[in-house]
Amino acid sequence: MEIITSKEVPVYYNYIGGEWIESLSKELIESYNPATGELISYAQNSTVEDVTQAIDATCQSFKESDWSVNPKKRYEALLSLAQKMSENMERLARLLTIEQGKTIRESRVEISGCIDTLKYFAGAARAVFGRSIQLEPKNFGVIVKEPIGVVGIISPWNWPALLMIRELAPALAAGNAVIVKPASLTPSIAVEIFKLIDEISYFPKGIVNIVTGPGSSIGAALASSKKIDMISFTGDTSTGKKIMEMAASNIKKLALELGGKSPNIVFDDADLDKAIPIIGRSIFISAGQICMAGSRVLIQESIKDEVIDRLKDYAESLRVENGLLETSDMGPLVSQNQLDIVQEYCDIGRQEGTIITGGHRLTGGDYNKGFFFAPTIISDLESDCRILREEIFGPVLAVQTFSNEDEALRIANDSDFGLSAGVWTTNLNRAMKMSQGIKAGTVWINTYNKNFPEAEFGGYKQSGLGRTRGIDGLMEYCETKHVHLEID
Ligand code: NAD
């Protein structure tokens, strides 16, 4: 339920037990447009007591409703949400751009991704198969997939609609009850989606809830609660490590989607006309604030100068402006804090290597109102430098070079992260060798950033635990039970 204040800035409430509820704190968090600095909404600055109330309502709904044993109802509910999001597509996309800063074209892609994900998992809700097996004479095993129970979903701000739905859809499809904690920079888009959920009668009251507020208190309360059976977390690797510690309280199940430092590997036989814009887009989409950003480019030495020149031209051709403009190729960073982090990394990059282009905030005119940063490329970096090893989460591309396949593989894998990688070559044998050798959850050959609800996604090494999307993504939200029958 939205209240219009005298300044006509909407106030968003928590959604607990099927009711719109004010936080016990009576305090609000403010959300700002990162392109203009305008205040766009208030959301509840919830307390641990609010979370306790939400957990109790969710546990009760899970126990008393037929949600966990009614796949057809889950199918109808998720399909209805897909339908409602379709009907509200443009309104949601605009809000997403106003709150997060990304371009309106990216926002439409994000909302479309939500709709596609909901449709896929609506169908999957009716296909949560187990198995049966004859074990010995007169003994049968039935292997059943059951929902885990009450799931806490903690989401980040960079793709706040899709990364919430990416977890919400399979968690609900599997029959769980859910509490969402969105990021404090982007509560509006999350609560607006919950307003659509509220209109759908297939969702039993209390089966799906949202509580807004700080991660350090209410996110932590979810992660450490003994009544929460699973946490699905998408965010920074350092926060993921804290969540792991808190989850130890009741050995709760964890799904972690964390950071990355993903390489695009460009061989001298690559189709550069195709590769350059896709590699450029892989790092400058969402102003680099995307987990799978192609933040390292590994170039075969013989084509180093040509690739750098062409990437520089690409970066300098981008229109960096308010994401609401249809012409915008890149919007602002999400906040002053993110701007400071990216600027600090560029200052480090200036010492560790050579800035090919960018490296600074954009100023003058409308730029002064927002957090706009120039698309940046840095080269001449030593393998142990911070620009190559740490996730910057901004529009900063780091260049490395290699002489042969083995060296390319060694450099690509020389990272704490293992989320994704791109390989650019017209040699199929080489492509296969690289895809087998790269330690990452997704390897794209001659493309990048292509994601589908039916294809698993997730991290090797410190990029995560478990898989999201696809059948494995659904199974993350299921327990497995062996029911044994012995007949006379
Ligand atoms: P973040 O870790 O700061 O916050 C993510 C969420 O966790 C927010 O809702 C936040 O409020 C909450 N949180 C913060 N501290 C907490 C705590 N102590 N206990 C419980 N919850 C807490 O991450 P962010 O800055 O919002 O997002 C950027 C990060 O997310 C990047 O590292 C990026 O790579 C990663 N990411 C990963 C994926 C993926 O699919 N692998 C997708 C998007 C973003």
Side-chain angles (χ1 to χ4, degrees):
M1 178 128 351
E2 180 182 307
I3 289 182
I4 305 297
T5 65
S6 54
K7 283 154 65 190
E8 298 201 348
V9 175
V11 178
Y12 291 107
Y13 286 79
N14 291 331
Y15 187 62
I16 299 175
E19 307 291 335
W20 294 102
I21 294 181
E22 194 178 26
S23 165
L24 296 167
S25 73
K26 310 276 183 216
E27 288 173 9
L28 298 170
I29 46 177
E30 295 165 348
S31 185
Y32 291 92
N33 181 335
T36 63
E38 286 162 326
L39 178 66
I40 62 158
S41 73
Y42 297 102
Q44 302 300 308
N45 189 11
S46 306
T47 62
V48 172
E49 289 71 35
D50 296 313
V51 171
T52 305
Q53 191 185 339
I55 292 172
D56 289 343
T58 317
C59 289
Q60 189 181 350
S61 180
F62 183 70
K63 215 187 292 172
E64 293 176 4
S65 75
D66 65 351
W67 182 252
S68 66
V69 289
N70 197 336
K72 252 189 176 171
K73 182 184 270 188
R74 306 200 298 259
Y75 157 84
E76 296 286 3
L78 293 174
L79 216 51
S80 301
L81 183 55
Q83 180 63 32
K84 287 200 178 285
M85 288 191 73
S86 289
E87 289 160 9
N88 287 275
M89 169 88 171
E90 195 59 21
R91 182 177 69 79
L92 293 173
R94 281 184 67 83
L95 175 62
L96 181 52
T97 289
I98 288 167
E99 183 168 55
Q100 202 280 338
K102 66 181 61 192
T103 68
I104 187 70
R105 284 178 285 158
E106 282 170 30
S107 291
R108 290 183 191 122
V109 169
E110 181 166 347
I111 301 299
S112 299
C114 293
I115 295 163
D116 198 29
T117 301
L118 285 162
K119 286 180 180 169
Y120 174 80
F121 282 108
R126 296 169 71 174
V128 186
F129 288 108
R131 308 188 302 276
S132 67
I133 183 169
Q134 176 93 48
L135 294 160
E136 57 182 36
K138 298 184 178 177
N139 280 258
F140 299 92
V142 183
I143 313 301
V144 186
K145 292 291 179 183
E146 293 183 344
I148 292 171
V150 175
V151 177
I153 295 177
I154 303 177
S155 331
W157 46 259
N158 62 325
W159 279 60
L162 183 57
L163 300 183
M164 176 178 77
I165 293 290
R166 188 182 73 177
E167 307 308 325
L168 192 62
L172 292 173
N176 298 284
V178 171
I179 304 172
V180 171
K181 207 300 282 176
S184 296
L185 287 170
T186 50
S188 316
I189 184 68
V191 182
E192 281 291 343
I193 292 171
F194 268 72
K195 285 165 68 178
L196 301 178
I197 289 175
D198 183 45
E199 293 171 11
I200 299 168
S201 58
Y202 292 111
F203 287 110
K205 278 188 182 306
I207 222 64
V208 52
N209 307 270
I210 188 164
V211 183
T212 56
S216 55
S217 55
I218 69 162
L222 281 175
S224 47
S225 167
K226 291 190 177 169
K227 292 183 181 171
I228 297 277
D229 301 298
M230 173 178 177
I231 288 286
S232 166
F233 170 79
T234 305
D236 194 77
T237 296
S238 62
T239 318
K241 289 179 184 177
K242 288 185 199 159
I243 301 258
M244 283 186 99
E245 284 173 23
M246 291 186 268
S249 63
N250 62 333
I251 318 283
K252 61 171 65 67
K253 195 159 189 262
L254 282 181
L256 301 176
E257 292 294 331
L258 309 176
K261 193 77 189 177
S262 301
N264 265 299
I265 306 163
V266 192
F267 286 94
D268 58 9
D269 61 354
D271 174 354
L272 291 185
D273 289 341
K274 180 180 180 194
I276 296 295
I278 297 179
I279 293 171
R281 191 176 141 71
S282 80
I283 177 64
F284 299 127
I285 183 175
S286 298
Q289 302 163 118
I290 182 165
C291 55
M292 69 197 94
S295 52
R296 293 188 288 152
V297 60
L298 277 55
I299 311 171
Q300 196 153 22
E301 269 151 16
S302 54
I303 54 167
K304 176 189 168 197
D305 292 340
E306 181 186 0
V307 173
I308 291 179
D309 284 350
R310 292 179 69 172
L311 283 170
K312 178 175 184 283
D313 288 347
Y314 176 89
E316 291 174 356
S317 74
L318 294 176
R319 291 180 70 116
V320 183
E321 56 189 0
N322 188 327
L324 275 186
L325 298 167
E326 294 286 345
T327 48
S328 177
D329 294 315
M330 193 175 107
L333 294 167
V334 76
S335 65
Q336 180 68 51
N337 185 44
Q338 201 62 21
L339 184 77
D340 293 343
I341 291 170
V342 175
Q343 185 61 69
E344 197 182 321
Y345 271 113
C346 285
D347 294 343
I348 293 167
R350 203 165 274 115
Q351 284 156 21
E352 290 182 334
T354 307
I355 305 263
I356 301 286
T357 186
H360 55 84
R361 179 183 189 169
L362 294 170
T363 53
D366 284 346
Y367 280 146
N368 291 342
K369 297 184 202 156
F371 311 120
F372 295 92
F373 204 88
T376 299
I377 302 175
I378 308 178
S379 75
D380 303 326
L381 296 157
E382 297 292 333
S383 64
D384 59 348
C385 71
R386 291 183 62 190
I387 294 297
L388 286 175
R389 309 210 77 84
E390 297 175 19
E391 185 186 45
I392 298 174
F393 226 53
V396 182
L397 176 62
V399 178
Q400 294 175 278
T401 56
F402 64 89
S403 54
N404 57 39
E405 291 169 9
D406 289 340
E407 193 184 12
L409 262 186
R410 188 183 54 70
I411 296 173
N413 288 333
D414 182 19
S415 171
D416 288 341
F417 299 106
L419 194 58
S420 53
V423 178
W424 297 89
T425 176
T426 45
N427 178 334
L428 184 60
N429 293 328
R430 176 179 267 172
M432 277 310 294
K433 181 178 170 186
M434 297 304 289
S435 74
Q436 289 182 338
I438 290 171
K439 303 237 172 300
T442 301
V443 179
W444 284 290
I445 310 287
N446 293 325
T447 188
Y448 203 90
N449 258 0
K450 289 221 170 163
N451 295 289
F452 300 87
E454 52 271 65
E456 278 73 2
F457 181 83
Y460 279 43
K461 300 190 267 184
Q462 295 190 32
S463 287
L465 200 61
R467 287 294 176 271
T468 185
R469 300 199 174 111
I471 297 301
D472 287 6
L474 181 68
M475 291 304 141
E476 288 287 333
Y477 291 98
C478 295
E479 281 285 13
T480 302
K481 181 181 281 174
H482 169 203
V483 179
H484 193 109
L485 278 93
E486 186 165 292
I487 57 171
D488 294 336

